[in-house]
Amino acid sequence: MLQNFSIIRERLSNYVVVPDRKFLTDSGASAEEESISQKVRQYWADETVSNAQKLKGFNLDISGFDPRNTTNRELREIGSVLVGLGIIDYGTSGWLSGIDIEFDAQGNEIGLNNPVDMYDYFERQLTFLSGCITEGRSFANDTLTKLKTVMSVTQALDERAKRPPPRALVNIRA
């Protein structure tokens, strides 16, 4: 886990902002780890940074990616690459690849290849969390902050998947 944080720290070294406490959650991690995760969440919420910049260095071909029809296996693969590049932290990757995940009686994950609609999942979770916030349940604000980060990552991936691939620098047909 610390390896990912050193990559994130390096990647976000030029992203200098005053830490906003609304992105601080109670994860149980060390203060240093939580501050890095807080910065990741704040970075993904920052609308002054383009999605293309946030995904800089992410060269996986996701041209067929559709958040309305994907699988947890596909999300897990994308999340692993994003973590490896320091684009997201492990917690965000877990949220990304745990959309409507099912478990058997022994607690093993099943249905990793079942289709999932991420936007439908987000809508259901937002409705649930809104009710919990209204009722004053303390976990809901932390969960909402993490969910919004995953929503931002998903929107960036969706945008990236719909973009035409970059033109090659060399014309191999000439």
Side-chain angles (χ1 to χ4, degrees):
M1 200 179 227
L2 291 175
Q3 176 65 12
N4 175 254
F5 285 140
S6 65
I7 295 169
I8 290 171
R9 191 178 302 112
E10 182 179 324
R11 182 178 181 87
L12 296 182
S13 63
N14 294 328
Y15 181 67
V16 181
V17 293
V18 176
D20 189 334
R21 292 200 49 80
K22 75 179 182 183
F23 298 103
L24 185 64
T25 62
D26 186 17
S27 67
S30 71
E32 179 185 10
E33 292 171 337
E34 183 52 48
S35 71
I36 293 169
S37 291
Q38 176 186 9
K39 191 170 186 177
V40 168
R41 290 187 288 271
Q42 188 167 346
Y43 181 70
W44 277 98
D46 191 338
E47 294 179 2
T48 65
V49 181
S50 71
N51 285 337
Q53 179 63 32
K54 290 173 185 173
L55 289 174
K56 187 176 180 179
F58 179 71
N59 296 321
L60 187 67
D61 179 9
I62 59 168
S63 55
F65 176 72
D66 178 6
R68 296 190 187 285
N69 185 22
T70 187
T71 66
N72 280 298
R73 187 170 313 281
E74 181 179 32
L75 294 171
R76 202 167 273 179
E77 291 169 6
I78 292 170
S80 292
V81 173
L82 294 172
V83 166
L85 294 170
I87 295 174
I88 61 174
D89 60 344
Y90 284 108
T92 303
S93 176
W95 271 82
L96 182 68
S97 63
I99 306 293
D100 276 342
I101 196 96
E102 296 176 20
F103 298 91
D104 65 15
Q106 289 75 38
N108 300 312
E109 297 172 343
I110 57 172
L112 290 176
N113 292 319
N114 292 346
V116 293
D117 181 337
M118 296 177 76
Y119 291 129
D120 177 63
Y121 174 81
F122 294 150
E123 186 176 321
R124 286 183 281 124
Q125 292 303 309
L126 288 170
T127 301
F128 172 74
L129 291 172
S130 293
C132 291
I133 290 169
T134 302
E135 294 170 5
R137 296 187 184 174
S138 60
F139 78 91
N141 285 320
D142 277 7
T143 304
L144 182 61
T145 300
K146 294 172 185 175
L147 182 66
K148 284 183 176 181
T149 302
V150 175
M151 291 170 65
S152 296
V153 172
T154 300
Q155 290 170 338
L157 291 169
D158 192 11
E159 181 182 301
R160 168 76 184 278
K162 292 175 180 170
R163 255 192 351 230
R167 293 185 58 171
L169 296 176
V170 178
N171 184 353
I172 60 172
R173 293 190 177 134

